[in-house]
Amino acid sequence: MKNFRHYSGVATLKLDRDACVGCGLCPQLCPHGVLAMEQKRARIVDPDGCMECGACAKNCPSGALSVSPGVGCASYIINKWLRGSKAAQAKNCC
């Protein structure tokens, strides 16, 4: 998902690896492959790929993940998928 970025270094996704119970849901739920399992715990592998949809945090049984939707600009990313870069930039979603 490296082509579907708006800003770098602004995603609010946080992971408390100590709180992770290793259920494996978050990598399955993340539409951008931001999370992976490593040594039976979740790990953030691509923080700039996070569009802050909140699927991982809402479904985390241990509360190990948190995100504040908005900064990742899911609207920009979705518009880029559907209409291309120029149309997405014209939206000024962020």
Side-chain angles (χ1 to χ4, degrees):
M1 301 309 297
K2 302 246 184 246
N3 294 330
F4 298 106
R5 308 295 171 93
H6 192 40
Y7 296 114
S8 295
V10 297
T12 61
L13 178 64
K14 301 281 187 248
L15 168 65
D16 179 351
R17 278 185 56 99
D18 292 332
C20 178
V21 295
C23 71
L25 280 175
C26 55
Q28 294 175 30
L29 295 168
C30 180
H32 287 180
V34 170
L35 298 152
M37 296 303 289
E38 180 180 278
Q39 299 174 351
K40 299 182 181 181
R41 298 273 192 253
R43 182 171 78 89
I44 299 172
V45 294
D46 184 16
D48 289 337
C50 181
M51 68 177 189
E52 299 178 330
C53 66
C56 61
K58 285 184 186 253
N59 290 284
C60 180
S62 65
L65 289 157
S66 65
V67 66
S68 297
V71 180
C73 199
S75 176
Y76 171 85
I77 294 166
I78 292 167
N79 275 297
K80 185 172 181 179
W81 280 342
L82 299 175
R83 298 183 182 90
S85 295
K86 290 184 181 181
Q89 290 170 353
K91 286 269 186 198
N92 289 328
C93 66
C94 297

